[in-house]
Amino acid sequence: MRKTHYDKNDIIMALLIVIALILAIFTGVKLFTGKRHAQAKVTAQATAAPTIVVVTPPPQQDAAEGTGGPEMNTGPKANSGGFMTQTGTSLNLIVNWYAEEAGDEVSIYIDVLLDCYTLQTGSRNQGITIGVGSKTFVYDSAPVAVSTPGADTVLLHATHVYVPASDFASGQCPIYATWNFGGSYGGQPIPELTAQGMITLE
């Protein structure tokens, strides 16, 4: 039988080829695996739900210590009263109030009303300013829709506020209410209506 003779260089060459094949297979598997991992990562990023941040604003409040309240009853009781503007037209602002002592403060219910004939207006942002002693309160005003043949009175805003009892050191405290009308009535331009008066504690 004839013996096959392998040269030393042939053996080295064969070993190098085998090593190269092993490295090629290993590298290919690694690259393929890395590619699949990268694709999975991109897919995960594409399908992940976006984060939604909901910012909830603080609840809207009346200015200063004012809080909205029902229309008050200014019946025949002490510490209640009212006053109105005298514009010379049929459009006038009325303020009714009822006050009572509450420790070191005075609790005051206030209605701001409008006396008029036919009138159509929209709501007014910060349309009403009420000043009582050392305190000032600002509110939005309701829309007005009056179409009756005779005069009518509509409520623009009702509120309940507290002011320091020291504002009534003399037994009285000034109060005013301003409504930003910004229009004309009876041919007379009226930017705003302001009614002023006094609150008396007995």
Side-chain angles (χ1 to χ4, degrees):
M1 176 182 288
R2 182 181 177 183
K3 283 188 177 182
T4 304
H5 178 73
Y6 293 99
D7 186 77
K8 186 177 181 180
N9 292 332
D10 292 338
I11 295 173
I12 293 173
M13 183 63 68
L15 287 174
L16 289 175
I17 291 172
V18 171
I19 292 171
L21 288 172
I22 292 173
L23 288 175
I25 293 171
F26 179 78
T27 305
V29 170
K30 187 174 181 181
L31 288 174
F32 182 72
T33 304
K35 185 178 180 181
R36 290 191 60 181
H37 177 72
Q39 288 175 342
K41 187 174 181 181
V42 170
T43 303
Q45 290 176 346
T47 57
T51 302
I52 301 176
V53 179
V54 179
V55 180
T56 304
Q60 185 175 0
Q61 298 177 346
D62 292 326
E65 292 88 354
T67 55
E71 184 174 355
M72 70 178 183
N73 177 12
T74 57
K77 60 178 68 174
N79 302 330
S80 66
F83 49 91
M84 67 183 295
T85 58
Q86 301 293 333
T87 63
T89 72
S90 299
L91 182 68
N92 283 284
L93 200 64
I94 301 172
V95 177
N96 291 330
W97 57 268
Y98 165 66
E100 57 186 0
E101 296 182 68
D104 58 354
E105 294 182 308
V106 176
S107 167
I108 309 169
Y109 291 88
I110 304 169
D111 283 346
V112 180
L113 307 104
L114 191 66
D115 185 65
C116 62
Y117 284 84
T118 302
L119 181 64
Q120 298 282 336
T121 71
S123 58
R124 300 283 194 269
N125 292 331
Q126 300 183 358
I128 294 178
T129 302
I130 298 174
V132 185
S134 60
K135 297 288 186 178
T136 301
F137 310 92
V138 181
Y139 309 96
D140 295 339
S141 62
V144 178
V146 178
S147 57
T148 56
D152 199 358
T153 301
V154 294
L155 179 66
L156 291 176
H157 192 78
T159 191
H160 178 203
V161 302
Y162 290 88
V163 300
S166 57
D167 287 350
F168 287 83
S170 64
Q172 290 185 319
C173 179
I175 176 176
Y176 75 87
T178 297
W179 178 54
N180 295 327
F181 174 49
S184 298
Y185 194 83
Q188 179 177 334
I190 303 177
E192 62 184 29
L193 292 172
T194 299
Q196 304 181 62
M198 297 290 292
I199 296 175
T200 302
L201 288 179
E202 296 180 1

